[in-house]
Amino acid sequence: MPQFAPMSVPPSSADTPTSASGLLLQLYTYATGPLHASFYQRHFQRFEVLGRTTPSWNSAAASCTLGWGLLRGLWRPTLLHAGLTLTLLALWLLGLHGRVPAPVEAALVLLGLLLLCLAPGFLGNAWYYQHIHRQTLAALEQSPTVGQAQARLQKLAASPKQQKLAATGQVAWWLLLAGLIWLGLAPSAPPPPRASVGPPVLHFPDSPAVAAAAASAVAAATATATAPGATAPAPADSTTGPTALPITPTPATTTAAPAATVSARESTVAPQPQPQPTAQAPAQPATAPAPTRAEQAQADKIQAQKAREQARAEARKTAREQARAEAREKAREKARAKAKAEQEKAEQAKAARARQAAARKNTVRSAPPPAPPSPKAEAQRYYVNAGTYANPDNAARAEASIRAARLPVAKYASTTNKGTMVRLRAGPFATEQQAQDAQRKLQAKGLPASVYRQR
């Protein structure tokens, strides 16, 4: 079996900028396309060297998030950003506008704008790197050669047609937001005045016939009282005629009474003839007018209806107060039951923790102290052999798969009668369990993997 000699590049060169600008960075360039290729290449190289993504500023992602995401194929972050924008806009127009002081509203709106711009501005490069990294690994796994993988990645790069569509989408998005803001801030029409609610005002007109009858009755009574030698009329028999009814003067009769009294006094000043001994016939009694009774009945009916409505309103108010009292009592009972259940649950959890603590304390007391690791065991290292390759393209693909699994890789080359052979090894690992986990990851990617222990 030939002996393998290590290559001039050390195994730890995966953490150097020279190694990071290798095959994967070249494939990243095909995937991003010629538009701002140097900008993204510089950031992707730093991410590869560090082995993780870090925040970095991207002006296009901050100012034109929707168009930038559509151009670069970042569908999920773009949709999440659009949904967050619409949610914050709805909270502002429907919940905050006009309900909080103007300085507080302006501060909250400015905070939302900063959040919507700074988040994609600082995280956009990391999102795009992760997207390109997944596309590159998928192209390597689906293509038998590196050239075919490059051709596949070139088809995914942004084209001029996609640039026009992204610009159109961004302008449409700005117009939509401007329209929603204009509709939300437009002044609304004032509400119509409310009609006054209350009892109807009743007007009772004076009747001319009733006023004239009352005035004549008052004049006749005054003339009889002032005439000399006048005798009081005999009481009428119940069998001879109707009995006189008392007349209740109306506003019309009170206004006409002074005039009737003056005319009666003038008639008494003139010389009167000798009165006859016969008694004067009693005046015809005046009857109550029918319109007054009808109006009184209508007023009584309206008053009774108002009393019934007031009684129903009082009953409804009493029922509502009783329902509220019952609801408050039920809520208090439910809160007391919930508090009691939570207290019991907390006591049970406290008792369980106490039992667990006591059990751990007894276990720690009874367990023997661990034996210190031997120097021989500490000196052992574990590796995972990932195969030997005569084709450089196959070796490059296998190396990319190992790096995609986030594993350290070591590469050795040896010259045989069949040409140059490249041997790949993942590691080193401190424990055998770590080596077995790495073996399973490489086997899942279709690589021949076996654990090797170096003494």
Side-chain angles (χ1 to χ4, degrees):
M1 181 176 179
Q3 299 294 328
F4 292 95
M7 295 178 63
S8 59
V9 180
S12 60
S13 62
D15 297 332
T16 62
T18 304
S19 175
S21 60
L23 177 63
L24 288 177
L25 289 177
Q26 295 178 2
L27 296 178
Y28 292 164
T29 305
Y30 290 106
T32 56
L35 185 62
H36 303 292
S38 59
F39 173 80
Y40 292 109
Q41 189 74 10
R42 184 173 65 255
H43 287 286
F44 291 173
Q45 182 177 359
R46 189 176 76 256
F47 294 160
E48 287 289 336
V49 171
L50 296 177
R52 57 185 178 86
T53 58
T54 57
S56 57
W57 182 250
N58 191 322
S59 301
S63 58
C64 306
T65 306
L66 183 69
W68 177 78
L70 295 177
L71 178 63
R72 297 302 178 178
L74 301 174
W75 299 103
R76 181 178 297 178
T78 303
L79 293 178
L80 290 177
H81 185 270
L84 179 61
T85 303
L86 294 178
T87 302
L88 294 179
L89 184 60
L91 289 177
W92 173 36
L93 297 179
L94 302 179
L96 294 178
H97 181 60
R99 295 177 175 83
V100 297
V104 178
E105 181 179 355
L108 293 177
V109 171
L110 181 60
L111 181 61
L113 289 176
L114 290 177
L115 175 63
L116 294 176
C117 292
L118 294 180
F122 280 106
L123 301 179
N125 292 330
W127 295 343
Y128 191 39
Y129 167 74
Q130 295 173 356
H131 178 67
I132 292 298
H133 185 72
R134 288 192 297 267
Q135 287 184 344
T136 303
L137 295 181
L140 286 174
E141 292 179 356
Q142 297 173 4
S143 303
T145 62
V146 178
Q148 294 180 1
Q150 293 176 357
R152 185 185 296 270
L153 292 174
Q154 284 179 347
K155 295 180 181 179
L156 300 177
S159 62
K161 183 179 180 180
Q162 292 177 347
Q163 296 178 16
K164 294 180 181 179
L165 292 177
T168 305
Q170 183 63 48
V171 173
W173 175 248
W174 282 341
L175 293 177
L176 175 63
L177 294 180
L180 292 177
I181 293 173
W182 182 79
L183 290 176
L185 299 181
S188 58
R194 298 180 58 185
S196 59
V197 179
V201 180
L202 301 178
H203 299 279
F204 299 99
D206 297 333
S207 177
V210 175
S216 61
V218 171
T222 306
T224 304
T226 57
T231 58
D237 192 2
S238 59
T239 60
T240 60
T243 304
L245 297 176
I247 300 175
T248 303
T250 61
T253 61
T254 58
T255 56
T261 305
V262 171
S263 62
R265 288 179 180 178
E266 290 177 354
S267 64
T268 57
V269 173
Q272 296 293 333
Q274 187 68 24
Q276 299 297 327
T278 58
Q280 296 181 358
Q284 293 294 332
T287 59
T292 304
R293 292 181 180 178
E295 293 170 356
Q296 185 66 26
Q298 182 69 19
D300 293 341
K301 183 177 179 181
I302 293 174
Q303 190 69 20
Q305 184 177 0
K306 289 174 60 178
R308 288 194 297 270
E309 291 179 355
Q310 186 176 3
R312 286 196 293 269
E314 292 291 338
R316 288 194 296 268
K317 182 179 179 181
T318 304
R320 286 196 298 269
E321 292 179 354
Q322 185 177 2
R324 292 194 190 100
E326 293 178 357
R328 287 194 295 269
E329 185 63 25
K330 290 182 180 179
R332 284 194 293 267
E333 292 179 358
K334 186 176 180 181
R336 286 194 293 268
K338 184 177 180 180
K340 185 177 179 181
E342 291 180 354
Q343 184 178 2
E344 292 178 355
K345 186 177 180 180
E347 292 178 355
Q348 293 176 0
K350 184 177 179 181
R353 288 194 298 269
R355 289 193 298 270
Q356 292 177 0
R360 286 196 298 269
K361 187 176 180 181
N362 295 334
T363 304
V364 171
R365 289 179 178 178
S366 59
S374 61
K376 182 178 181 181
E378 293 181 354
Q380 293 178 356
R381 292 293 183 271
Y382 295 87
Y383 292 86
V384 178
N385 291 327
T388 304
Y389 303 89
N391 190 345
D393 292 340
N394 294 337
R397 289 178 58 192
E399 181 182 359
S401 299
I402 297 174
R403 294 186 186 279
R406 302 294 183 182
L407 298 175
V409 60
K411 184 166 57 175
Y412 301 91
S414 62
T415 303
T416 62
N417 53 358
K418 296 182 179 181
T420 302
M421 306 294 290
V422 178
R423 183 178 181 182
L424 298 179
R425 178 184 296 176
F429 303 99
T431 61
E432 186 177 1
Q433 182 64 34
Q434 295 177 356
Q436 292 177 356
D437 294 341
Q439 179 185 10
R440 285 191 291 270
K441 291 181 180 180
L442 297 181
Q443 289 177 352
K445 292 183 174 294
L447 297 177
S450 60
V451 178
Y452 168 73
R453 184 174 63 183
Q454 183 180 6
R455 300 180 182 275

